[in-house]
Amino acid sequence: MSTTATAKASVPEPQFPRGPVSPLDRYFSISARGSTVAREVRGGFATFFAMAYIIVLNPIILGSAKDMYGHQLDGGQLVTATVVTAAFTTLLMGVIGNVPIALAAGLGVNTVVALQLAPRMSWPDAMGMVVLAGFVVMLLVATGLRERVMNAVPAGLRKGIAIGIGLFIMLIGLVDSGFVSRIPDAAHTTVPLQLGADGHLGGWPVLVFAVGTLLTLALIIRKVPGAILISIVAMTVVAMIINAVADVPSWGLTTPEWPGNPVAAPDFGLIGEVSLFGGFGKVGVLTGLLFVFTVLLSCFFDAMGTILGVGDEAKLMDEKGDFPGINKVLFVDGLAVASGGASSSSATTCFVESTAGVGEGARTGLASVVTGGLFSVALFLTPLATMVPSQAATPALLAVGFLILAGSIKEIDWSDFTIAVPAFLAMVMMPFTYSITNGIGIGFISFSVLRLAAGRGREVPAAMYVVSAVFVFYYAMPALGLT
């Protein structure tokens, strides 16, 4: 995402070691990427705290739904499945992909699984659809098609996607903290969001978020190493004190209090409960394929946007704007989708919250190894891992979102409307539709159409036309009666 801005604002200039390079440094290319072991560790911690909410949220989303037989998934088993898959896939991304990108159950995809797939088949059938989608992603990687699609995205549109992700994670931070909330439909208003819970700011949790945001930004401006992590820890302690002495009705998903029993035994009962092709017998071949396609499209482009954005932010792109070693990253992502289905935790994908770690200076897969290790520990200490309230962690998203915007927006050629308009649409549609995939799809379609309208259709790669057509079909599916 942002390049120079983040490097100057969040971390000091790298100090390269003068002595022999250690095997750890050599394997992860830590010094070669201008990082240090300390920064990678801090980045791994920051990313974990920024996305630990998924341990609570994913079981809530999946556990609240019923399949066609009225069965519900067990909450404790869902926690185990979510944590195990996040730990496994994030460790793989660190060791194989060597990038500071963490993975966990994808928000949005888990809703599709819970509300669209499960009600029309059994839970094992629904998770089988997710596994099949993961297999297709890996097949696209093996054939080089996925890399070709990513390389077909012009530089200006890539910057627009990066900025869109920055704005998206800022909105996530504002909403999850309670600083901004959705106005219920019962209000009969065209305004979708409001300040606080009732149009005004109030309550201790919002104060924790506001102070945490100012603290994070102040530490970044002062170029304090570990600024984001320091803020998260400090505001968690403040929140725990407030929760102990004040009457706080609700902190949201997680309450900042020391758990009575921090140890929780994992329950692996859902692992492997999958039926690969059973869903086709319930809904038919065509509908089954459309379900797989829906999961595939969301996973494919959500991850694409996150990978490009984090790669740009971490300065992992080469002089041509390409991502060296991208196939390893893409393969792990495809394997993660299938793994999520196999564990019944829904499709696992790259998390935009990884930018919190990048904001701490993380540049290599060692940060992901740290994050994956923390998820492994959380398998037995889930109550402790979910002690950090969102109000303490989400200021990092707001700060990093700004740094992404500041570092990327000037690199778009705003004089060329055939790239400026698609970049603009991509960046605004992500937060406004709460979807990375929608932002990418609308950006792709508008780019192809505008280049054609300008008589520059030959400048559009064939892969871009194909993907744009796929998105047109995807958006037309409800009108065609295919959903």
Side-chain angles (χ1 to χ4, degrees), residues 89 130 139 252:
T89 54
V130 176
L139 179 62

Side-chain angles (χ1 to χ4, degrees), residues 79 82 105 136 164 320 327 343-345 354 358 394 423 449 471 476:
V79 170
T82 300
V136 175
K320 297 180 181 179
N327 259 339
S343 68
S344 298
S345 63
S354 301
V358 174
T394 49
V449 171
F471 270 112

